[in-house]
Amino acid sequence: GQQVMQIPQYQHVQEGEDFTTYCNSSTTLSNIQWYKQRPGGHPVFLIQLVKSGEVKKQKRLTFQFGEAKKNSSLHITATQTTDVGTYFCAGPYTGTASKLTFGTGTRLQVTL
Amino acid sequence: DGGITQSPKYLFRKEGQNVTLSCEQNLNHDAMYWYRQDPGQGLRLIYYSQIVNDFQKGDIAEGYSVSREKKESFPLTVTSAQKNPTAFYLCASSYGAAYNEKLFFGSGTQLSVL
């Protein structure tokens, strides 16, 4: 079955440092979505990428979709304590509408 | 405020007991989903429904059951056949069932076994 892996599983940075999480799918994805889950909270949609090689920015967050549409990355510039949480990528099940396979997640801890 | 409401926030199950988790949405979304989250793991799909009176199994449906009698409601029953039910359960919905729909999540129910 379709698998979506993320690395690293956990990262601890000091405030101001950059952070990157990588997402790799075993199959080609029609699109990829990113979600953030704060500690004790629920996942919240951040962004969707659709095109091969697409890059989108949201303030300090940069999202990229690979040329082969099998991988993606999220880069945070100059992390802040508000960035703390777990970041998940998710891609649609092959050939099936709107069922998402979620990645294993990367937990980010930011300290002063 | 529009959104998804899950209840209860915490639930305890005794051995051999069935328990039902509630999920209600007022977003007028067609599709609804149940995911299970275990520590250190991603979200795994239990069941999903793309339309009223219809639902399909996800990857880990064994030991669970659902119903979709109303558009707004998608309750999940954790049966006694589910031998390891302790987890965080998340209900979600999307506007439609297209491949590019984003999910809106409820605040979750933490289920523990007594």
Side-chain angles (χ1 to χ4, degrees):
Chain A
Q2 182 181 42
Q3 291 188 341
V4 181
M5 304 298 295
Q6 281 183 255
I7 55 171
Q9 189 172 5
Y10 170 75
Q11 187 150 6
H12 183 182
V13 300
Q14 289 200 316
E15 191 175 48
E17 292 181 336
D18 291 356
F19 160 77
T20 304
T21 173
Y22 300 91
C23 175
N24 294 288
S25 170
S26 58
T27 60
T28 301
L29 300 171
S30 58
N31 68 79
I32 194 154
Q33 299 180 12
W34 284 90
Y35 291 79
K36 176 183 178 181
Q37 183 177 24
R38 294 182 185 274
H42 58 276
V44 174
F45 175 81
L46 292 177
I47 206 162
Q48 178 175 260
L49 304 170
V50 179
K51 298 176 184 176
S52 170
E54 187 171 15
V55 178
K56 285 190 176 180
K57 293 190 175 185
Q58 288 181 349
K59 297 183 180 178
R60 294 177 295 103
L61 278 61
T62 301
F63 303 84
Q64 190 164 7
F65 201 8
E67 294 290 341
K69 300 183 79 172
K70 293 182 72 174
N71 58 76
S72 181
S73 65
L74 159 59
H75 179 80
I76 303 179
T77 304
T79 55
Q80 300 176 359
T81 54
T82 53
D83 296 323
V84 165
T86 301
Y87 293 85
F88 293 99
C89 62
Y93 280 51
T94 304
T96 304
S98 80
K99 285 170 54 182
L100 289 179
T101 300
F102 278 79
T104 45
T106 296
R107 186 161 70 94
L108 173 64
Q109 180 63 36
V110 181
T111 52
L112 295 171
Chain B
D1 274 347
I4 302 176
T5 302
Q6 288 188 245
S7 62
K9 189 168 184 176
Y10 300 97
L11 187 58
F12 296 91
R13 194 191 89 166
K14 294 180 182 178
E15 198 76 32
Q17 185 183 41
N18 293 353
V19 292
T20 297
L21 285 60
S22 171
C23 178
E24 303 276 333
Q25 55 100 357
N26 60 6
L27 299 169
N28 199 32
H29 284 175
D30 284 326
M32 297 187 74
Y33 313 81
W34 275 104
Y35 282 91
R36 170 178 171 145
Q37 185 174 30
D38 293 281
Q41 296 191 34
L43 283 65
R44 293 183 291 167
L45 183 64
I46 305 173
Y47 267 98
Y48 68 104
S49 168
Q50 297 179 328
I51 197 168
V52 176
N53 292 322
D54 187 46
F55 49 83
Q56 285 81 37
K57 294 181 179 180
D59 293 324
I60 56 166
E62 186 175 348
Y64 301 97
S65 67
V66 294
S67 63
R68 186 88 187 275
E69 297 176 1
K70 297 187 300 181
K71 186 176 185 176
E72 302 80 19
S73 179
F74 192 40
L76 173 74
T77 296
V78 183
T79 74
S80 57
Q82 173 51 244
K83 298 306 179 188
N84 184 23
T86 297
F88 189 51
Y89 290 86
L90 287 158
C91 178
S93 70
S94 63
Y95 181 72
Y99 72 96
N100 59 347
E101 299 283 354
K102 65 181 182 182
L103 300 186
F104 294 80
F105 284 88
S107 55
T109 294
Q110 176 64 52
L111 176 62
S112 302
V113 177
L114 289 176

